[in-house]
């Protein structure tokens, strides 16, 4: 038994990509406000992992779900969105570092020249 006297079924426990990636919005949407701690700079990086691990349990405790199947159907949407956002974020970070690496390599090899056109 956990918060509000609600027992969390074993099938509900597990990783929640929606709570991990959209922690603040996910928390407000699920009426669980611990994810708002992600607004604290520095602490937010650690807390987003806590949200991912505990998100399903918090949502079950605060929600009014009839059964586990209904809960899982709602969670599936959040999980799909979270996974897509995670993949997009990783791709963006990889492209960013490739771009910066290409610029630094170009500068170090002397291939980067500043051209000033005066008319």
């Amino acid at each position: 038994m956990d918060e509000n006297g609600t027992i969390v079924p074993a099938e509900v426990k597990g990783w929640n990509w929606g709570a991990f990636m959209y922690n603040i919005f996910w928390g407000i949407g699920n009426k669980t406000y611990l994810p708002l701690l992600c607004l604290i700079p520095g602490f937010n990086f650690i807390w987003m992992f806590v949200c991912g691990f505990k998100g399903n349990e918090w949502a079950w405790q605060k929600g009014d779900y009839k059964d586990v199947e209904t809960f899982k159907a709602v969670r599936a949407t959040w999980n799909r969105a979270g996974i897509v956002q995670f993949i997009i974020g990783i791709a963006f970070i990889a492209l960013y570092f490739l771009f910066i690496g290409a610029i630094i390599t170009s500068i170090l090899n002397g291939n980067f020249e500043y051209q000033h056109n005066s008319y």
Side-chain angles (χ1 to χ4, degrees):
M1 186 166 0
D2 285 309
E3 188 177 325
N4 298 335
T6 305
I7 297 172
V8 178
E11 304 90 33
V12 168
K13 295 181 180 181
W15 184 258
N16 188 315
W17 283 102
F20 177 70
M21 292 303 296
Y22 298 109
N23 38 54
I24 296 167
F25 302 111
W26 180 90
I28 292 169
N30 285 284
K31 298 178 185 128
T32 177
Y33 301 107
L34 284 173
L36 292 176
L37 291 173
C38 287
L39 293 170
I40 301 171
F43 182 70
N44 58 356
F45 183 74
I46 296 166
W47 197 249
M48 64 191 274
F49 285 96
V50 173
C51 291
F53 285 120
K54 299 293 284 180
N56 283 342
E57 296 174 42
W58 294 338
W60 178 267
Q61 292 166 354
K62 295 291 184 172
D64 187 25
Y65 297 100
K66 298 173 190 169
D67 54 23
V68 174
E69 289 76 27
T70 305
F71 177 81
K72 285 185 175 185
V74 172
R75 294 301 123 218
T77 303
W78 278 103
N79 279 329
R80 277 192 302 273
I83 288 171
V84 168
Q85 183 64 34
F86 181 76
I87 292 169
I88 290 170
I90 293 297
F92 178 75
I93 290 169
L95 289 173
Y96 174 79
F97 281 114
L98 285 172
F99 179 71
I100 296 299
I103 289 175
I104 290 172
T105 302
S106 180
I107 290 171
L108 292 177
N109 290 336
N111 296 334
F112 186 81
E113 295 181 19
Y114 176 73
Q115 295 181 354
H116 179 72
N117 295 330
S118 57
Y119 294 100

